[in-house]
Amino acid sequence: MWPVLFHIGNFAVHSYGVMLAVAVLVGLLAGEGEARRRGIDPDFVLNLTILLVVGGIIGSRIAYVLIEWPYFAVHPQEIVRVWDGGLSFYGAVIVAVPLVWLYGRKKGLRFGDIADVAAFGAAAGYPFARIGCFLNGCCYGKPTTVPWAVAFPFDGVPRHPTQLYAVLLGALIFGALLYFRRRQRFAGQLAILYLIFYSAYRFFIDFFRVSPPAGAYLTLGQVASLLVAGAALVVLAVKWRGTRP
């Protein structure tokens, strides 16, 4: 763990916040490139990114606090400490979807195109955010004896480095979107595929990650992943049948 990179006087520069900023910058650059490819003004992407970052952080933090409420009920002063980690991707999605729709409609752009640009940028930046999780020591895995286990200072127990698994799988998801973006049959397909790929990754990784349970067998993240993937697959099937190669 390396939660604090350095100090400027009494001000601590947190690794999680730095990597989150890097993730946003990478996502912005990737989104602008995809926007140009679709004939969309890149300045639109900058404005949309600012909107999504603010809304996404608020939504993801609220979702995380609700999931971990037993802890935050005892430590309410830590609810606003976003720089210490603790964001829920699905909470960000809940906020991002209506924001993308409303902002795209205001600018006279198709929701599908803007959703694709946003998904492409999010996929590009996601691995960098997970590096921040590893440095911060959050989103850690279950105890294990595998050779690549990592012992975090908070308990010294060898655990699955699920943050690094997320970095690798996130990079693979971005690579898959790179492949499919030139083989699209309808606007919005890239965003739908991203939700499917992300849900599959999250469902898989929660078998190794410490996550709030939703019952005897699945975690809350896995249940959410099944719901999101199921809805995305239905939309993909309906849109696919209505288009031609």
Side-chain angles (χ1 to χ4, degrees):
M1 289 174 61
W2 194 5
V4 178
L5 293 177
F6 54 87
H7 287 82
I8 301 176
N10 293 326
F11 179 75
V13 177
H14 292 261
S15 56
Y16 185 82
V18 170
M19 293 312 300
L20 192 60
V22 171
V24 171
L25 178 59
V26 171
L28 172 61
L29 295 175
E32 287 182 341
E34 182 63 12
R36 289 191 185 93
R37 196 175 73 87
R38 294 169 182 262
I40 299 173
D41 185 357
D43 288 341
F44 170 86
V45 179
L46 175 59
N47 296 331
L48 179 64
T49 298
I50 295 172
L51 188 65
L52 290 180
V53 167
V54 175
I57 288 177
I58 293 174
S60 59
R61 185 60 172 181
I62 290 175
Y64 181 82
V65 169
L66 292 176
I67 292 171
E68 300 289 350
W69 181 246
Y71 173 83
F72 286 104
V74 181
H75 306 88
Q77 72 280 2
E78 296 189 20
I79 291 178
V80 298
R81 294 180 63 87
V82 179
W83 53 88
D84 286 337
L87 300 175
S88 169
F89 177 83
Y90 289 124
V93 171
I94 291 173
V95 173
V97 170
L99 284 177
V100 169
W101 181 77
L102 288 171
Y103 195 62
R105 184 177 181 182
K106 178 181 178 181
K107 297 296 184 178
L109 297 171
R110 290 190 302 179
F111 172 73
D113 282 324
I114 304 307
D116 284 343
V117 170
F120 191 74
Y126 185 82
F128 296 92
R130 285 307 184 188
I131 294 174
C133 290
F134 181 73
L135 295 174
N136 188 53
C138 58
C139 306
Y140 49 82
K142 298 175 181 178
T144 183
T145 57
V146 298
W148 55 87
V150 174
F152 293 95
F154 59 83
D155 64 1
V157 176
R159 296 176 177 273
H160 281 287
T162 44
Q163 311 97 323
L164 300 184
Y165 298 170
V167 173
L168 175 61
L169 293 173
L172 291 175
I173 290 174
F174 180 66
L177 294 189
L178 280 173
Y179 174 81
F180 283 108
R181 72 173 180 161
R182 295 189 180 277
R183 294 164 176 82
Q184 285 188 252
R185 290 174 59 167
F186 59 88
Q189 181 179 339
L190 211 62
I192 295 172
L193 288 175
Y194 180 53
L195 290 177
I196 294 172
F197 294 153
Y198 180 90
S199 298
Y201 135 76
R202 181 58 194 273
F203 186 87
F204 167 77
I205 208 169
D206 263 24
F207 286 112
F208 307 97
R209 175 179 163 178
V210 175
S211 297
Y217 302 104
L218 299 179
T219 67
L220 287 175
Q222 288 175 320
V223 172
S225 296
L226 289 174
L227 294 174
V228 171
L233 284 168
V234 170
V235 175
L236 179 63
V238 171
K239 296 289 289 184
W240 193 271
R241 291 181 61 183
T243 61
R244 292 182 179 180

